[in-house]
Amino acid sequence: MLKATVTGRIWSTKKLGEVPAGSILEVQVDGTSTTMLVFDPLGCGDGEKVIVATGSVAASWFPGKSPPIDALVIGSIDEASVAAGKKK
Amino acid sequence: MLKATVTGRIWSTKKLGEVPAGSILEVQVDGTSTTMLVFDPLGCGDGEKVIVATGSVAASWFPGKSPPIDALVIGSIDEASVAAGKKK
Amino acid sequence: MLKATVTGRIWSTKKLGEVPAGSILEVQVDGTSTTMLVFDPLGCGDGEKVIVATGSVAASWFPGKSPPIDALVIGSIDEASVAAGKKK
Amino acid sequence: MLKATVTGRIWSTKKLGEVPAGSILEVQVDGTSTTMLVFDPLGCGDGEKVIVATGSVAASWFPGKSPPIDALVIGSIDEASVAAGKKK
Amino acid sequence: MLKATVTGRIWSTKKLGEVPAGSILEVQVDGTSTTMLVFDPLGCGDGEKVIVATGSVAASWFPGKSPPIDALVIGSIDEASVAAGKKK
């Protein structure tokens, strides 16, 4: 998975009918200049640090027929995490 | 998913029979020099900003047996999106 | 998919029995220094511009049990394509 | 697979219900500045060198319905490995 | 697929039970500084040039339930290949 920071949000009116209703975030992968668009079922906000899963596992998370979604926020990272990791 | 801008269109006469009829766009991934070829069911035009899903989820979108297509335009990005994201 | 140019061809005598008989091309991804090996069912030649699909969709194209092939030439690009895209 | 070194650990309280209970490590891919988040069923510690599998094969390892996990520690690398490889 | 050169070999005593018995090579992707770990059913040696398939197609090659293996040596490249490609 990737550690990323929410930097924005996009809207799409003209889209495939199979794209699920919900929020599509723009995130920046930490430590890089790479940005991605990610489906967010968790309601994350700008600046929040998130865990992003990519590929077919993102689509398989959805109930029923898998939609054409290849990136999913699977969690928000607790603020204490990095410090705890570094202390060890 | 990737945020990309349509930069062109390619035609292929000599191709596998399993490639679906339809438009194959050339897009540039925003913020990079990376270009990709993407199947477009939405009729997007040059300069349009699009959402691209990649990998097996692109192939699974097609009805029936999945074709050898690994990139799909799933939506066009509304012009107001980036500004809205930045204001938040 | 990727737009690439055929730069060579490789032969492999010592290989898995599940690798299908046929041509494996070396291609260079356009606009990059990245090279890849790609299974070619279309009989493309050196210098030809091709469309390459990657990942499990390449393997799924083969009839019967999917072979361990992760890159497939799905088409040859018509010479007029790039110019047409740029004029639009 | 990737050879990586464990550099930390993250915690996530706000997460999808389908994320399995267990440890999510932060690792750095050897020879690069790339970092990733990886599910670790083996109890690896900081500084340990690990083998990371990515993509849908990581999700398929879990029993039952595959969770939205795209990176998995599949082994810890014995210390003697690199030296042995170089001597050959 | 990727063209790579075998540079070493790793051993892992502490690993998932689902990792198949066999050789895991370290390879360097030709023309890059990228290194990968690859399962090798063919008994390749240091310095040998190999064809590597990645992703779920590598796991699907194994009989029975797919193991968490995302890279597989599918062939060894005949020495004459590159020269032949260049001459054409």
Side-chain angles (χ1 to χ4, degrees), chain A residues 10 12 24 37, chain B residues 1-2 49-53 72-75 77:
Chain A
I10 63 112
S12 173
I24 296 181
L37 300 178
Chain B
M1 284 78 69
L2 298 167
K49 297 232 174 251
V50 293
I51 309 170
V52 175
L72 181 73
V73 174
I74 65 165
I77 299 179

Side-chain angles (χ1 to χ4, degrees), chain A residues 1 4-5 12 14-16 31 37 44 51 55-56 63 65 68-69 73-74 76-77 80-81 84 86:
Chain A
M1 284 78 68
T5 303
S12 173
K14 171 183 167 185
K15 62 180 174 185
L16 299 180
L37 300 178
C44 296
I51 309 170
S56 62
K65 181 170 172 3
I69 293 292
V73 175
I74 66 165
S76 174
I77 299 178
S81 294
K86 291 223 168 125

Side-chain angles (χ1 to χ4, degrees), chain A residues 1-3 30 41-44 48 51-54 56-57 60-61 72-78 81 84-85 88, chain D residues 7-16 18-19 24 26 36-39 46 55-56 59 65 67-71:
Chain A
M1 284 78 68
L2 299 167
K3 184 163 77 167
D30 281 25
L42 290 168
C44 296
E48 197 164 340
I51 309 170
V52 175
T54 61
S56 62
V57 308
S60 300
W61 173 77
L72 182 73
V73 175
I74 66 165
S76 174
I77 299 178
D78 296 354
S81 294
K88 281 195 180 175
Chain D
T7 56
R9 188 172 308 266
I10 63 112
W11 282 268
S12 173
T13 306
K14 171 183 167 186
K15 62 179 173 185
L16 299 180
E18 292 81 5
V19 175
I24 297 181
E26 188 166 29
M36 297 175 54
L37 301 178
V38 187
F39 191 90
D46 273 27
S56 61
K65 181 171 172 2
I69 293 293
D70 67 7

Side-chain angles (χ1 to χ4, degrees), chain C residues 31-46:
Chain C
T32 77
S33 60
T34 303
T35 60
M36 296 175 55
L37 301 178
V38 187
F39 191 89
D40 172 25
L42 290 168
C44 296
D46 273 27

